[in-house]
Amino acid sequence: MASGDGKQDDRLDAVVAAAQHSRARREQGYREQALKLYPWVCGRCGREFTRANLHELTVHHRDHNHDNNPPDGSNWELLCLYCHDNEHARYLEAGQVPAGGDDASTARVSHKALAGLAALLNRKP
Ligand SMILES: [Zn+2]
Ligand SMILES: [Zn+2]
């Protein structure tokens, strides 16, 4: 076991945090555009949204590639949280995309933070 692993973990955490941050900002950008382009209605179940519950309306990428964001919105679809989950579950069942999908990555980050904490607690003086 090499000493100094902790430092490397910190650096990796910083890189991951920075990547998460820029990703969150980019997602904010296309979400705003999609909400301007489309009526606030879920494309699957037809549920309508207002400012009060707009956070439950999400932007789905039709081709599941979150880097594909044409300004005309042709790759976006507004889905409520539940239909969005279903959409990704179907896609994952088909085995066409690695776990993680095009959004929902916060769970992995907190998991990593917990692992880092465990390592700290286990460190011998
Ligand atoms: Zn829906
Ligand atoms: Zn999606």
Side-chain angles (χ1 to χ4, degrees):
M1 253 251 227
S3 60
D5 281 356
K7 262 215 166 76
Q8 260 178 358
D9 279 352
D10 286 350
R11 207 159 48 213
L12 186 62
D13 280 348
V15 169
V16 170
Q20 290 293 332
H21 188 70
S22 71
R23 181 178 191 161
R25 270 169 49 162
R26 186 180 52 187
E27 283 176 4
Q28 193 102 49
Y30 65 62
R31 185 166 189 270
E32 260 170 40
Q33 288 179 62
L35 290 174
K36 272 182 211 158
L37 273 170
Y38 293 112
W40 296 354
V41 174
C42 173
R44 288 287 180 280
C45 66
R47 188 175 157 199
E48 290 181 31
F49 289 81
T50 64
R51 289 207 174 275
N53 59 0
L54 193 61
H55 61 277
E56 290 179 28
L57 187 61
T58 59
V59 179
H60 172 63
H61 290 80
R62 291 176 188 274
D63 68 355
H64 288 246
N65 176 8
H66 56 84
D67 288 321
N68 183 12
N69 293 301
D72 67 354
S74 56
N75 193 36
W76 300 328
E77 189 173 22
L78 293 180
L79 297 179
C80 75
L81 285 175
Y82 310 101
C83 294
H84 200 167
D85 268 2
N86 286 341
E87 189 66 23
H88 279 247
R90 278 197 325 174
Y91 208 76
L92 285 172
E93 273 166 25
Q96 295 176 59
V97 97
D102 68 4
D103 21 36
S105 48
T106 44
R108 253 179 295 154
V109 172
S110 55
H111 201 77
K112 180 157 174 48
L114 283 178
L117 187 63
L120 278 177
L121 292 174
N122 287 333
R123 190 171 290 164
K124 299 258 168 16

